Amino acid sequence: MFRPAEQVLVNCSVYDGVGDTVLPDHAVWTDPDGMIRAVGPVDDVLAEARGVTVVDLGGGYLMPGLTNMHVHLSLGLPGHFGDEVHRSDQAELVLLMADSARRTLHAGITTARLVGESRYADFALRKAIERGAVDGPRIFTAGHALCCTGGHGWDADALEADGADGFRKLTRQQIRAGADLIKVCISGGIAGQHEAIDTPQLLDDEMAAVIQVAHDWGRKVTAHAGPADSIRRAVELGLDCVEHGYELTDDVTKLMAAHGTWYVPTIVVSRCEQFFRDSGVPGWLMDRALSAGPRHWESLQLAIANGVPIAMGSDMPPHAGYDETTATVRELEFMVDAGMSVADALKSATVRPAQWLGADDRLGTVQEGRHADLIVLRDDPTKSISALRTLHLVMKGGVVYRDDTNVTRRFAR
């Protein structure tokens, strides 16, 4: 296991995730436990950190590592990726996921929320990352997604149940396995051949059973959901978060805002034609995804306008190439294009996910007492979200995992 280095990062401007502007001529002191010991004007920090190694960041912009809130490390879409996952044995599956985790971390995502994986391999991977045996982001995972018999995701390793008792049991099984949250599929979606996006799939008592058990055990529930009516019913029952929301309405987004129900739009999945072609997905899936795009875009705009709390998630592999950047960065650019301010977009990928995850006391900001999960850019992210395309350094827990310019080569993993 590579130990974090004690160091003071200087010659940088800091976007701390708290304010909306950068703090020029600041320094960040990371300690041997991988935590941030101090942040402040460079002279003040250096005066306190006498004798500590100084690392010159060359005038870069330092900010919190990104959090992607909709990740599948064992992506099971019909096509090349899904075939590879389904024909793998357990060991091969974990290695596939470990490779995706490493690529995700190198793309600047230091925390990932997994929302449906295969064969409980995510729990083994989480443990390996925590021990330092595998490179990857911090993982918060739902384990398997839950669906009704034949419901969305049944052929991608979602677990099937029917009736309130069946869903109570599955929810408890995920919690027993170590789930940090629960993912339930309450409607059809893009990747189910024998369903439509607006197919309702859970009854109220089934949704209520999942939500009640999860809340009783201190877990939040997020739902794969497309149509407005299914979402409305789930929000009224206490749902914590909506994934995709392909067909939101003005009334439903206002209801979500009033209830404090979060939204992870995954807007890239309805406009990523080249990714679908490269993945070899069947034509019906690509046609359905792309045809959902205009209505999906309208849903995102309504959520932004009506003040729904939004967190960034890509659904596409976070590191996947998209328009000469990654799916994660492209998702954020789309969110700004849809009307979100740059400041809100940055927070949707840093401090706000940490809040939803109940981890904002240790993640999501560049502040004393937080984990030293940091990225460095060449350009100012508060001026343009596309500055994230200039990412060149990634640190997690005080350990450098990517450094394109070799300024930290003495400490890099």
Side-chain angles (χ1 to χ4, degrees):
M1 182 175 179
F2 198 93
R3 295 290 301 170
E6 183 170 21
Q7 55 198 323
V8 180
L9 307 173
V10 302
N11 192 10
C12 61
S13 298
V14 174
Y15 167 71
D16 61 9
V18 179
D20 293 340
T21 58
V22 297
L23 304 168
D25 300 319
H26 267 52
V28 177
W29 180 3
T30 68
D31 69 21
D33 294 320
M35 307 298 288
I36 297 173
R37 182 164 177 177
V39 181
V42 62
D43 290 341
D44 295 347
V45 174
L46 288 175
E48 186 179 355
R50 294 184 183 278
V52 176
T53 299
V54 175
V55 176
D56 188 326
L57 295 181
Y61 292 84
L62 182 148
M63 63 173 284
L66 303 177
T67 295
N68 192 311
M69 290 281 278
H70 193 117
V71 175
H72 302 283
L73 294 177
S74 56
L75 185 66
L77 282 177
H80 304 324
F81 291 147
D83 291 346
E84 190 172 17
V85 168
H86 293 308
R87 67 172 173 252
S88 65
D89 61 26
Q90 190 80 357
E92 291 169 333
L93 176 63
V94 173
L95 290 172
L96 284 170
M97 294 174 67
D99 177 62
S100 186
R102 178 183 58 82
R103 293 171 185 267
T104 294
L105 178 59
H106 284 205
I109 296 91
T110 54
T111 300
R113 188 185 67 157
L114 310 187
V115 287
E117 299 293 348
S118 298
R119 290 171 263 168
Y120 297 100
D122 45 320
F123 298 105
L125 180 62
R126 181 179 65 184
K127 184 180 295 184
I129 291 172
E130 289 173 350
R131 290 177 175 173
V134 173
D135 294 350
R138 301 183 191 279
I139 285 179
F140 293 80
T141 185
H144 282 267
L146 314 181
C147 71
C148 66
T149 298
H152 184 80
W154 73 270
D155 53 350
D157 289 332
L159 299 182
E160 296 171 285
D162 293 294
D165 286 343
F167 277 96
R168 287 190 189 97
K169 183 174 182 178
L170 286 189
T171 302
R172 290 172 178 144
Q173 285 177 349
Q174 298 317 294
I175 294 170
R176 179 181 65 186
D180 302 295
L181 63 139
I182 300 296
K183 161 78 173 296
V184 61
C185 301
I186 67 172
S187 80
I190 284 173
Q193 185 173 8
H194 304 296
E195 63 188 38
I197 286 175
D198 61 357
T199 304
Q201 293 188 350
L202 261 68
L203 301 175
D204 284 6
D205 66 329
E206 294 171 324
M207 291 190 286
V210 174
I211 293 167
Q212 180 180 0
V213 170
H215 287 180
D216 285 348
W217 285 77
R219 307 305 198 275
K220 291 180 178 177
V221 180
T222 194
H224 164 99
D229 187 62
S230 294
I231 293 168
R232 175 191 57 76
R233 289 161 45 218
V235 169
E236 290 174 344
L237 290 167
L239 181 69
D240 300 294
C241 187
V242 172
E243 309 294 314
H244 312 303
Y246 297 115
E247 299 175 356
L248 296 175
T249 62
D250 186 60
D251 287 346
V252 167
T253 51
K254 288 176 179 175
L255 182 70
M256 290 170 65
H259 282 251
T261 307
W262 288 60
Y263 181 38
V264 179
T266 69
I267 198 69
V268 293
V269 301
S270 59
R271 42 200 15 89
C272 58
E273 179 175 354
Q274 190 59 51
F275 172 76
F276 286 138
R277 292 190 184 280
D278 293 343
S279 302
V281 304
W284 62 262
L285 190 156
M286 185 164 64
D287 291 345
R288 185 185 297 175
L290 299 179
S291 65
R295 189 67 181 81
H296 194 191
W297 188 261
E298 180 184 347
S299 296
L300 173 56
Q301 290 183 310
L302 287 169
I304 293 169
N306 288 326
V308 177
I310 295 176
M312 182 276 295
S314 62
D315 200 2
M316 283 178 63
H319 53 83
Y322 193 137
D323 287 352
E324 300 182 337
T325 184
T326 64
T328 297
V329 173
R330 199 69 186 96
E331 176 78 16
L332 288 164
E333 291 176 337
F334 278 136
M335 290 161 70
V336 171
D337 290 345
M340 183 178 285
S341 70
V342 171
D344 281 341
L346 287 171
K347 288 182 169 63
S348 79
T350 54
V351 64
R352 287 180 183 152
Q355 291 167 349
W356 194 93
L357 294 166
D360 52 322
D361 60 336
R362 58 190 187 278
L363 299 174
T365 57
V366 183
Q367 291 180 287
E368 180 181 343
R370 270 56 172 186
H371 288 291
D373 296 355
L374 309 168
I375 60 176
V376 180
L377 319 174
R378 186 181 66 247
D379 297 340
D380 183 350
T382 67
K383 300 298 184 186
S384 169
I385 199 68
S386 293
L388 288 164
R389 291 174 177 249
T390 68
L391 167 72
H392 59 82
L393 188 149
V394 178
M395 175 187 293
K396 190 193 80 174
V399 176
V400 176
Y401 291 87
R402 171 182 169 185
D403 181 4
D404 298 351
T405 59
N406 291 321
V407 296
T408 62
R409 58 188 176 276
R410 291 171 54 194
F411 310 107
R413 183 181 177 86

